[in-house]
Amino acid sequence: MPLILYTCLLWLCTSGFWTAQAEDPSAEESMRNHHRDLAPTNVDFAFSLYKHLVALEPGENIFISPVSISMALAMLSLGTRGHTQTQLLQGLGFNLTEKSEAEIHQEFQHLHHLLGESDTSLDMTMGSALFFDRSLEMQESFSADIKHYYASEALAADFQDWAKASRQINEYVKNKTQGKIANVLSQLNSQAILVLVNYFFFKGTWAQSFDPESTREENFYVNETTTVKVPMMSQSSTIKYLRDAELPCQLVQLDYEGNGTVFFVLPDPGKMDTVVAASSRDTILRWSLALTTSQVDLSIPKLSVTRDHDLRGVLADMGITDVFTAQANFSGIAQEAQLKLSKVVHKAEMQLGEQGAPAADTPRAALSLTSKPVSLRFDHPFLVMAFDHFTWSSLFLGKVVNPT
């Protein structure tokens, strides 16, 4: 696992890595790295979006699935043309002189297949749909393309009846997530013509479980004046741990069964903004190489985090503006109508519990341990960042201010 992780991360931070690998005659090696073609671009977009959302809502929980959002916006680009399409794809981080539009959609198609099929041990559901006013005449090629590349749909809704359209959208997402995500859309406004909906649910099985009998109700310090009670999970075991020498934080890396891995990052009190500002692809690489296997007495809240975001404002702040204005070119969706995107709704949920694989005995002689156990309690606001080992996609990024 450490060698695989190191190789993944080195690829992420080395722009010429794929070029070198493409010259390797080994078909197996070429295929292996092809799984990560989108990783650098997607992860950079992930952290940019994450920082913008944290800045907009400094005292709130933040939880998003960046890879799912990237797929939704790339899917939407199939219906755009001209400057609108260029701006959208460049806003996602793509250099269109190096990668064609066709290559982008082919690579997302491959990534979507890998994330959906390669790991059955994660309970993970993600998807998108575009809802359009029923008065529009949808281009059949658009519907065919989004189904082919993204396994997605474009569905007609009666946006003259807001309550009915909201119920339709919420019911659609509820059915797609087997009831795990509900009420993705609370209200619409009178200007709605196109609504992009993206959803994500995640529940993993730890490679090393927490003992439910050790879970206790304890204090979580939201800020200097607010304390809440939370069920706190605990385990004392050998864990990858780091006290960062450059940033004011401590962190652990825990693995899920299968391809998932997650970084729990605990900023020193009052230093959340400093750590968020430094979060990046390079920081993840540095952490991964600096983590050491240590004996850790770890406590993390048992929680379920659910957030919904209308991404219209934050995407505009990031330079993706055309799709929301009268300048939008959605002629790939409907040729005669002047369309603009009304909403980009993202709802994500993560459940964090004790469930894991049975513990395995590890001979102490084989471990490289620090001299004494480290006590690490996630009892004040922290960050959580999960990735897929195989594709190195950013499954979710979160900031937990109040776990209740």
Side-chain angles (χ1 to χ4, degrees), residues 73 146 301 308:
L73 293 173
I146 65 173
D308 57 88

Side-chain angles (χ1 to χ4, degrees), residues 6 16 29 40 63 65 69 120 129 135 212 271 383:
Y6 176 86
E29 186 71 15
F63 187 69
S65 171
I69 294 169
T120 57
S135 64
K271 299 297 182 180
L383 306 175

Side-chain angles (χ1 to χ4, degrees), residues 312-326:
R312 174 174 174 160
V314 69
L315 292 174
D317 288 345
M318 295 171 66
I320 300 175
T321 56
D322 269 18
V323 291
F324 304 111
T325 71

Side-chain angles (χ1 to χ4, degrees), residues 64-136:
I64 58 171
S65 171
V67 69
S68 187
I69 294 169
S70 289
M71 284 185 182
L73 293 173
M75 178 202 79
L76 180 69
S77 76
L78 283 166
T80 60
R81 298 292 184 268
H83 182 265
T84 301
Q85 183 178 81
T86 300
Q87 185 188 78
L88 179 51
L89 293 175
Q90 288 179 342
L92 286 170
F94 293 103
N95 184 336
L96 298 178
T97 64
E98 297 179 354
K99 192 184 293 285
S100 70
E101 181 202 356
E103 289 173 321
I104 291 169
H105 296 305
Q106 289 164 4
E107 289 173 8
F108 269 116
Q109 179 188 39
H110 186 50
L111 177 61
H112 183 271
H113 172 76
L114 291 174
L115 291 176
E117 303 295 333
S118 65
D119 192 349
T120 57
S121 61
L122 294 179
D123 183 0
M124 182 171 70
T125 304
M126 68 173 75
S128 302
L130 183 68
F131 291 85
F132 61 94
D133 190 83
R134 66 180 184 178
S135 64
L136 297 177

